[in-house]
């Protein structure tokens, strides 16, 4: 098992990734995932979360905008920044969440949340990272995984198998500080052609607690990239699920200053 830094994007993938069907190491798979977005480009997405809970006749809907940037550093490694702004429901409108992948081998990834009710930015640390992300079945730490961001985790290549009629690479991600997280192990299935995360299973002490899935027929093309239009996070501990719909993807040619700045990320687009 090798310690590596991963800067990957779940939502977009390169059309030129077919050669990765023969990948045999975690580094090869993660490199493919890291290179899916041209350096410096900001991708904007319109998201719709539908969370189903036992006893609720209708799913709870959350609308948000997500912005992602992947940039290449001087040492050749890739780092990802992502920010999400919430538009609805009304009582959550104005909330925002930021992830900045660490630039250092031993650095900590930066996760920040802004809540209008307290009008302050709070850094997400320790056990708080496993709390629900704005009333969905995703946690703040899950947000990292469905962006394909594994930080300073141990990532190991397991095998290449066929899933949904497609070659898929399986990776196993071990938490670098398991005492601080709910999930000490994540099993990730990456589509070999498009370098997209198609499934992620979250374990604690070998007990499956959550599963993120993407169906192959929910993949769509955007320019030279691919992305899923529907993702499902199933919670086996608290029951229920959140279905995430990606309703629009676009390039953002002139992102505002401070979009990925911990002090200014929560301001309106």
């Amino acid at each position: 098992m090798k310690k590596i830094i991963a800067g990957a994007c779940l939502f977009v993938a390169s059309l030129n990734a077919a050669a990765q069907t023969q990948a045999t190491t975690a580094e090869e798979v993660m490199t493919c995932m890291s290179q899916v977005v041209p350096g410096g480009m900001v991708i904007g997405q319109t998201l719709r979360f539908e969370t189903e809970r036992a006893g609720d006749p209708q799913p709870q809907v959350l609308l948000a905008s997500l912005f992602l940037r992947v940039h290449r550093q001087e040492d050749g490694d890739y780092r990802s920044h992502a920010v999400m702004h919430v538009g609805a429901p009304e009582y959550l409108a104005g909330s925002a969440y930021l992830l900045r992948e660490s630039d250092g081998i031993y650095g900590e990834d930066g996760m920040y949340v802004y809540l209008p009710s307290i009008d302050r930015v709070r850094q997400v640390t320790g056990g708080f990272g496993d709390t629900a992300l704005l009333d969905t079945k995703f946690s703040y730490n899950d947000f990292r995984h469905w962006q394909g961001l594994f930080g300073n985790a141990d990532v190991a290549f397991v095998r290449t198998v066929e899933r949904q009629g497609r070659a898929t690479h399986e990776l196993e991600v071990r938490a670098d500080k398991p005492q601080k997280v709910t999930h000490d192990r994540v099993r990730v299935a990456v589509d070999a052609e498009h370098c997209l995360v198609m499934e992620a299973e979250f374990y604690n002490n070998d007990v499956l607690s959550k599963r993120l899935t993407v169906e192959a027929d929910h993949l769509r093309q955007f320019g030279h990239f691919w992305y899923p239009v529907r993702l499902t996070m199933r919670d086996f501990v608290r029951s229920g699920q959140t279905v995430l719909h990606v309703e629009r993807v676009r390039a953002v040619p002139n992102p505002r200053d401070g979009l990925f700045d911990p002090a200014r990320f929560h301001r309106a687009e």
Side-chain angles (χ1 to χ4, degrees), residues 101-121:
E101 195 175 23
S102 169
D103 289 336
I105 295 177
Y106 301 106
E108 295 287 342
D109 291 341
M111 294 188 290
Y112 306 85
V113 61
Y114 171 78
L115 299 176
S117 59
I118 60 175
D119 191 25
R120 60 177 295 186
V121 173

Side-chain angles (χ1 to χ4, degrees), residues 30-172:
M30 301 302 285
T31 296
C32 182
M33 296 173 69
S34 297
Q35 296 175 344
V36 298
V37 178
M41 175 181 288
V42 174
I43 298 294
Q45 301 165 16
T46 301
L47 308 179
R48 178 184 180 90
F49 296 82
E50 296 181 353
T51 300
E52 302 172 4
R53 295 184 176 86
D56 292 343
Q58 298 293 330
Q60 179 175 319
V61 176
L62 184 147
L63 305 178
S65 296
L66 179 75
F67 301 91
L68 175 77
R69 179 180 64 192
V70 178
H71 62 99
R72 187 171 185 174
Q73 301 196 135
E74 293 182 0
D75 60 5
D77 284 341
Y78 292 81
R79 298 292 181 267
S80 298
H81 297 162
V83 64
M84 186 171 72
H85 294 157
V86 177
E90 184 175 355
Y91 74 94
L92 290 175
S95 301
Y97 178 71
L98 168 69
L99 170 66
R100 291 175 58 90
E101 195 175 23
S102 169
D103 289 336
I105 295 177
Y106 301 106
E108 295 287 342
D109 291 341
M111 294 188 290
Y112 306 85
V113 61
Y114 171 78
L115 299 176
S117 59
I118 60 175
D119 191 25
R120 60 177 295 186
V121 173
R122 178 178 179 181
Q123 187 166 9
V124 179
T125 59
F128 184 76
D130 287 310
T131 60
L133 173 63
L134 305 176
D135 290 339
T136 71
K137 291 301 179 180
F138 291 91
S139 72
Y140 290 92
N141 284 329
D142 294 340
F143 179 77
R144 298 170 59 194
H145 293 299
W146 57 255
Q147 284 299 320
L149 304 176
F150 306 124
N152 296 326
D154 287 317
V155 184
F157 181 87
V158 179
R159 59 177 180 169
T160 298
V161 296
E162 185 173 298
R163 290 171 179 256
Q164 304 182 55
R166 304 173 66 87
T168 305
H169 302 310
E170 291 186 359
L171 303 177
E172 185 167 274

Side-chain angles (χ1 to χ4, degrees), residues 200-214:
E201 293 185 331
F202 301 83
Y203 293 87
N204 184 31
N205 295 324
D206 292 326
V207 176
L208 177 63
S209 58
K210 289 184 177 182
R211 179 185 290 122
L212 174 71
T213 56
V214 176

